């Protein structure tokens, strides 16, 4: 069906930590579909599953309000047919629901699969509505688990990990959604989608990479941003700021943490030729937090003095987790990221906290504030040993995806406070080593790093880019994105145009032209120390 179109034409705000898909500015294609009759189709069960029920209902559209803690909304959604399929894996006592929304008119001939956020396996309605608004049929799955922060499914009644639900969440339910979604599209419209795309960020980004690795024929194009690959490692690593503060018995205030970040950005910002608050190449930033020792910071009306102990804590957090002997375990919080997202005293971010308590320690009562450096290292290594093959999503062999003709597009913010971009870069470099170097990998997989942008920030308030439009142009017209045009927000809160550079290139100001325009910058090979 790939070429059918040619024939048919928390203390931490959760919204900052998760992702809801947004609209693409790409033009629609003309629909060749017949009028839709919204009735429950016959659905063949994907391998290893049983279909429990199939239902269909015509929806009026209008404003769609997102469910669960993510909420959100999208307006102007046209009428659509909603087909709901429930699946079970015999013997697993699970029940996964696949929802497919199909425009009753003006379908653009494409299917969009939607990923989840945190522990939510699929979309909460906003992404589905946005896809339908843009002419797509769209599909998503709940994998039989719960909402974004619902981890009640982790352990069974015997206190053991529910391996069936974890497998659903980690890999198999997304594949089954792709299979069911295509089948429903074919039944409702009379033919399958011309092109199929996956769209997700964070957990959704990880799901996209899993699809490319294990089910390379599911999608023609995969948009997988800020991907939570290396889940078994970075989730534990995300607790490092709490471990450092508790072991050093030093708890810098939010104002003091912000002072360290602001000083680092101010120092390293000019390295790209322009002071605009956007650090384009943080790898060159060697700001030493000890430079702020003795600095006065006013916080909530009180004057505080930054101490050597404060600087030592920040230095460890930026450096990242290490064993007691100094061996590097994972990347630290990026120098431009909001340190308070993970370093608020006594408030570990709930996603990694639950991962460590439930899946790794299997002890819901585990007091994370008591973790020593040695115990942290043990939990990190245990998580990697038990779950890398289950949910690590770091297999660099994308040869089958490349052979299928698929395209993988990823952007990630360099100020990502939850998933360091270094992990994504590390994965990309592993793929290059596996598949013959950067040029060969660029033929089907491109990565763009975004300065001044938080976790899943583009299209969520930190800027915008038509990433899905770029992906469809690549898949359908062979126009590989050399750059990714975007609107970013500088340190003055102003919108500036930038052409995001394809990894490993970085942006440099030319020294002339309006710095608010992309034409004033060029992509260059980064220089190192």
């Amino acid at each position: 069906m790939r070429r059918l179109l040619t024939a048919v034409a928390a203390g931490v705000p959760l919204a900052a930590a998760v992702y809801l898909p947004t609209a693409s500015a790409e033009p629609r294609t003309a629909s060749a579909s017949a009028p839709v009759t919204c009735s429950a189709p016959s659905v063949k069960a994907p391998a290893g599953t049983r279909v429990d029920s199939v239902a269909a209902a015509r929806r009026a559209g209008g404003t769609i309000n997102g469910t669960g803690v993510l909420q959100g909304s999208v307006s102007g959604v046209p009428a659509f047919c909603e087909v709901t399929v429930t699946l079970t894996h015999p013997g697993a006592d699970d029940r996964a629901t696949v929802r497919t929304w199909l425009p009753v008119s003006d379908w653009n001939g494409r299917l969009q699969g939607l990923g989840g956020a945190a522990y939510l396996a699929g979309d909460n309605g906003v992404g589905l509505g946005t896809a339908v608004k843009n002419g797509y049929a769209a599909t998503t799955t709940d994998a039989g688990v719960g909402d974004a922060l619902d981890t009640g499914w982790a352990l069974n009644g015997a206190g053991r990990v529910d391996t069936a639900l974890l497998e659903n969440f980690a890999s198999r339910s997304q594949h089954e959604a792709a299979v069911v979604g295509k089948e429903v599209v074919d039944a409702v419209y009379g033919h399958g989608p011309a092109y199929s795309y996956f769209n997700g960020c964070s957990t959704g980004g990880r799901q996209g990479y899993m699809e490319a690795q294990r089910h390379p024929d599911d999608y023609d194009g995969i948009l997988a941003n800020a991907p939570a690959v290396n889940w078994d490692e970075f989730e534990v690593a995300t607790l490092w700021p709490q471990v450092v503060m508790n072991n050093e018995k030093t708890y810098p205030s939010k104002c003091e943490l912000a002072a360290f970040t602001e000083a680092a950005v101010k120092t390293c910002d000019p390295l790209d030729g322009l002071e605009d608050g956007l650090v384009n190449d943080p790898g060159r930033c060697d700001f030493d937090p000890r430079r702020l020792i003795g600095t006065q910071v006013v916080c909530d009306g009180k004057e505080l003095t930054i101490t050597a102990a404060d600087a030592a804590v920040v230095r460890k957090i930026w450096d990242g987790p290490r064993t007691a002997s100094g061996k590097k375990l994972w990347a630290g919080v990026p120098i431009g990221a909001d340190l308070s997202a993970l370093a608020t005293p006594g408030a570990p971010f709930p996603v990694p906290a639950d991962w460590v308590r439930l899946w790794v320690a299997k002890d819901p009562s585990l007091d994370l504030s008591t973790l020593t450096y040695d115990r942290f290292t043990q939990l990190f290594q245990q998580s990697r040993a038990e779950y890398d093959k289950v949910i690590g999503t770091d297999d660099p062999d994308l040869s089958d995806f490349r052979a299928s003709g698929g395209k993988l597009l990823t952007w990630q913010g360099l100020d990502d406070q939850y998933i360091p971009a270094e992990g994504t870069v590390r994965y990309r470099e592993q793929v290059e080593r596996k598949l013959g170097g950067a040029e060969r990998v660029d033929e089907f997989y491109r990565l763009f790093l975004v300065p001044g942008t938080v976790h899943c920030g583009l299209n969520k308030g930190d800027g915008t880019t038509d990433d899905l439009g770029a992906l469809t142009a690549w898949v359908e017209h062979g126009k590989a994105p050399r750059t990714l045009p975007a609107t970013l927000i500088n340190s003055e809160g102003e919108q500036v145009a930038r052409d995001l550079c394809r990894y490993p290139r970085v942006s440099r100001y030319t020294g002339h032209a309006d710095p608010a325009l992309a034409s004033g910058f060029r992509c260059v090979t980064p220089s190192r120390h």
Side-chain angles (χ1 to χ4, degrees), residues 255-267:
C255 298
E256 291 169 306
L257 293 173
F260 283 105
T261 301
E262 290 166 7
V265 170
K266 184 176 181 179
T267 299

Side-chain angles (χ1 to χ4, degrees), residues 18-22 70-73 117 120 123-124 126-127 456 459-460:
V18 295
Y19 170 78
L20 295 174
T22 54
L70 300 185
Q71 301 182 19
S73 66
L120 177 67
D123 184 67
N124 76 337
V126 176
C456 294
N459 300 326
K460 289 296 294 178

Side-chain angles (χ1 to χ4, degrees), residues 264-294:
V265 170
K266 184 176 181 179
T267 299
C268 300
D269 181 17
L271 295 176
D272 60 10
L274 179 70
E275 294 186 42
D276 57 0
L278 301 174
V279 179
N280 286 283
D281 188 8
R284 296 178 64 200
C285 185
D286 59 357
F287 176 79
D288 188 337
R290 290 176 294 188
R291 291 171 56 180
L292 289 192
I293 295 173

